[in-house]
Amino acid sequence: MSVLEIRDLHVTVETDEGTTPILNGVTLTIRTGETHAIMGPNGSGKSTLAYTIAGHPKYTVTGGSITLDGEDVLEMTVDERARAGLFLAMQYPVEIPGVTVTNFLRTAKTAIDGEAPSIRTWTKDVTSAMKNLRMDGKFAQRNVNEGFSGGEKKRHEILQLELLRPRIAVLDETDSGLDVDALKIVSEGVNRAKEATDLGVLLITHYTRILNYIKPDFVHVLVRGRVAEEGGPELADRLEREGYDRFLEPVADADA
Ligand SMILES: Nc1ncnc2c1ncn2[C@@H]1O[C@H](COP(=O)(O)OP(=O)(O)OP(=O)(O)O)[C@@H](O)[C@H]1O
Ligand SMILES: [Mg+2]
């Protein structure tokens, strides 16, 4: 079993207005085999949390800690984090011109395992993972995310998840922009990964629809860079019904 522990995490980002605090003390524990949903209004810091776990250089940790099985994640480089078993499916996957999907996947797999996968099993694994995700074989020879539709980019993120076999996966709005069939296909990919490797999942989403397919054990509400409430799946239903009003202070009256 592995455990990712986020303790009282404070994160800032440099903006035109100077150093801006985004996360103001986030505490979360994710164990392998568990699925945690993170919900919250736009701009509450969900992607910032995801990027900080992955090691994006734009985000500065000013307090708190992130550990994986007691090892200090914040001391690790981005690739060390990936090798340690952390994975991020980005909200907006980036295009990598000049790098084909097949080369990208093989290079990533080799870097993570420390040795190249055997050609025969690897080709078989890639082909069957693409088939499961209903991705046309032609994607293997296309450049990563270049000209991919929104939904194709999301499938490609889950293709990586299935092939790289991390211990803890952060999925940042993997459901956004997916049609009903694609949502099901992508969810099945995540569930396969969960079954195959006892994966721990941190699922960032705005919608309960994906939670019908990928059942969360815990739901956390992130508001203004803090976990404002935690509960089980029923909390997601309540948020869908009521929105986030009760977490947000009323906007100050301009005349007051
Ligand atoms: N690199 C950056 N430069 C400037 N501001 C940033 C940067 N990254 C994040 N922010 C700000 O931090 C806040 C939180 O952003 P973040 O992307 O983490 O929100 P989010 O909860 O993922 O929102 P959404 O639901 O819209 O995806 C926002 O106000 C955003 O403008
Ligand atoms: Mg976001």
Side-chain angles (χ1 to χ4, degrees), residues 169-180:
V170 181
L171 309 179
D172 192 357
E173 294 199 28
T174 298
D175 53 339
S176 65
L178 295 181
D179 67 46
V180 279

Side-chain angles (χ1 to χ4, degrees), residues 4-218:
L4 180 71
E5 285 198 273
I6 301 164
R7 288 275 161 273
D8 197 26
L9 188 69
H10 287 70
V11 172
T12 61
V13 69
E14 292 308 317
T15 66
D16 293 342
E17 285 103 58
T19 305
T20 310
I22 310 289
L23 298 185
N24 305 303
V26 172
T27 296
L28 275 180
T29 303
I30 300 124
R31 294 183 178 78
T32 41
E34 293 178 351
T35 297
H36 295 249
I38 298 214
M39 307 184 85
N42 292 132
S44 57
K46 302 180 299 298
S47 293
T48 300
L49 175 64
Y51 277 134
T52 306
I53 294 170
H56 194 299
K58 266 206 108 138
Y59 300 93
T60 308
V61 175
T62 54
S65 63
I66 305 179
T67 59
L68 180 63
D69 298 331
E71 300 280 325
D72 188 351
V73 169
L74 297 175
E75 285 294 311
M76 299 179 195
T77 59
V78 172
D79 55 308
E80 282 168 349
R81 294 178 199 209
R83 277 199 295 275
L86 297 175
F87 176 89
L88 170 65
M90 286 189 278
Q91 183 173 2
Y92 303 108
V94 290
E95 299 186 355
I96 315 180
V99 178
T100 61
V101 165
T102 187
N103 278 340
F104 171 78
L105 291 172
R106 194 174 159 76
T107 304
K109 185 71 176 168
T110 304
I112 281 172
D113 290 358
E115 57 179 1
S118 100
I119 298 267
R120 203 188 309 157
T121 54
W122 176 245
T123 309
K124 208 170 97 236
D125 288 351
V126 174
T127 310
S128 87
M130 289 182 77
K131 211 167 142 198
N132 284 335
L133 289 165
R134 314 275 202 289
M135 288 180 77
D136 193 301
K138 290 192 195 106
F139 276 90
Q141 296 312 321
R142 285 178 62 176
N143 292 333
V144 173
N145 290 322
E146 215 177 34
F148 285 24
S149 76
E152 288 164 354
K153 286 181 183 169
K154 300 294 170 132
R155 285 183 208 214
H156 179 242
E157 297 291 286
I158 301 308
L159 178 66
Q160 294 164 52
L161 171 70
E162 286 207 62
L163 291 168
L164 300 180
R165 300 184 166 253
R167 285 191 274 168
I168 306 275
V170 181
L171 309 179
D172 192 357
E173 294 199 28
T174 298
D175 53 339
S176 65
L178 295 181
D179 67 46
V180 279
D181 297 323
L183 181 70
K184 215 167 152 230
I185 289 163
V186 157
S187 301
E188 282 165 5
V190 175
N191 287 331
R192 269 195 304 276
K194 278 172 65 173
E195 273 164 35
T197 58
D198 201 33
L199 179 71
V201 178
L202 192 63
L203 182 77
I204 298 170
T205 184
H206 285 294
Y207 307 106
T208 52
R209 219 170 44 147
I210 193 169
L211 304 180
N212 295 327
Y213 297 114
I214 305 170
K215 300 271 182 227
D217 303 296
F218 307 94

